[in-house]
Amino acid sequence: MKRPMKYHARALAFQRGLSMIEILVSVVIMSLGILSLAALLTNATRYNKTTEYRSVATLLANDMADRMRANRDAVVDGSYTTALPTYNVNATEPPKGTGCEATECTPAQMATRDLADWKHALFNALPQGDGYLLLDAEDNAVDVWVAWLDPAANSDETTVGDGATVKECPTAFVASGADPMPRCAYFRISL
């Protein structure tokens, strides 16, 4: 059964502007999708760099843990406790440890060399990298903070899943308002 020609003419007249609107809507949707993908790529690159810094910080903290376990007497004496660093954008590279061979050193001299080598490695592996060690004699452990300046960071707090914030760095680590803020990785090493 064929429909009359008059019906087809009305249907075509009704649909004339619809294809243009459909094309415009699809272009807007595609544009939003492409912009979202570009933002996703930018964030993925930034977070990838942050993850790389955290991985390096973990490796260097493990390096110091091995050094301290090998020189336990110096740890107990407090030779590995460091001064709290403050950040200076124009900081210079710390010197590498010298003047001590493992068979000729006292435990305190070895600790001094280990700290110098560790601080040198931190500075070279991370942007303005530095470290802070604090002995907790009561628990027979050492608290280790590895810090670096992260251009992507805008505060010293990180938001966790439930919306709460967690401090990454010790409270006296930097002056408030430093820009960029340091990022820290915290480790607790049992001896």
Side-chain angles (χ1 to χ4, degrees):
M1 193 169 180
K2 287 198 160 203
R3 295 198 172 146
M5 187 70 144
K6 192 175 183 184
Y7 175 78
H8 288 298
R10 272 194 219 149
L12 287 175
F14 177 72
Q15 292 182 355
R16 275 197 183 146
L18 289 181
S19 61
M20 181 61 88
I21 292 172
E22 290 169 352
I23 290 173
L24 288 174
V25 168
S26 65
V27 166
V28 167
I29 291 172
M30 289 291 290
S31 299
L32 290 175
I34 290 171
L35 287 174
S36 298
L37 286 175
L40 179 68
L41 180 62
T42 302
N43 285 335
T45 303
R46 184 181 65 195
Y47 293 134
N48 188 27
K49 196 64 170 171
T50 300
T51 302
E52 176 188 341
Y53 291 151
R54 289 197 181 278
S55 296
V56 169
T58 301
L59 289 171
L60 291 170
N62 283 331
D63 174 53
M64 183 48 76
D66 291 341
R67 290 172 187 251
M68 287 189 293
R69 287 185 183 119
N71 194 3
R72 187 175 162 80
D73 292 338
V75 174
V76 173
D77 291 341
S79 296
Y80 279 94
T81 300
T82 61
L84 192 61
T86 55
Y87 281 96
N88 178 0
V89 177
N90 301 318
T92 59
E93 182 176 358
K96 200 167 182 174
T98 59
C100 180
E101 295 301 323
T103 57
E104 301 171 7
C105 293
T106 66
Q109 290 171 327
M110 194 66 196
T112 301
R113 181 176 179 154
D114 286 345
L115 284 170
D117 288 345
W118 186 58
K119 294 245 183 189
H120 182 79
L122 286 170
F123 188 86
N124 287 318
L126 297 167
Q128 298 289 323
D130 205 346
Y132 174 53
L133 304 172
L134 181 64
L135 174 65
D136 183 356
E138 187 176 303
D139 289 340
N140 199 26
V142 176
D143 292 324
V144 178
W145 284 272
V146 175
W148 62 94
L149 289 181
D150 188 354
N154 59 2
S155 77
D156 62 343
E157 296 181 342
T158 299
T159 304
V160 293
D162 60 358
T165 57
V166 176
K167 289 278 188 187
E168 294 179 331
C169 298
T171 52
F173 211 66
V174 294
S176 64
D179 187 29
M181 293 297 289
R183 286 286 189 200
C184 295
Y186 169 77
F187 307 92
R188 185 157 180 94
I189 300 169
S190 298
L191 299 174

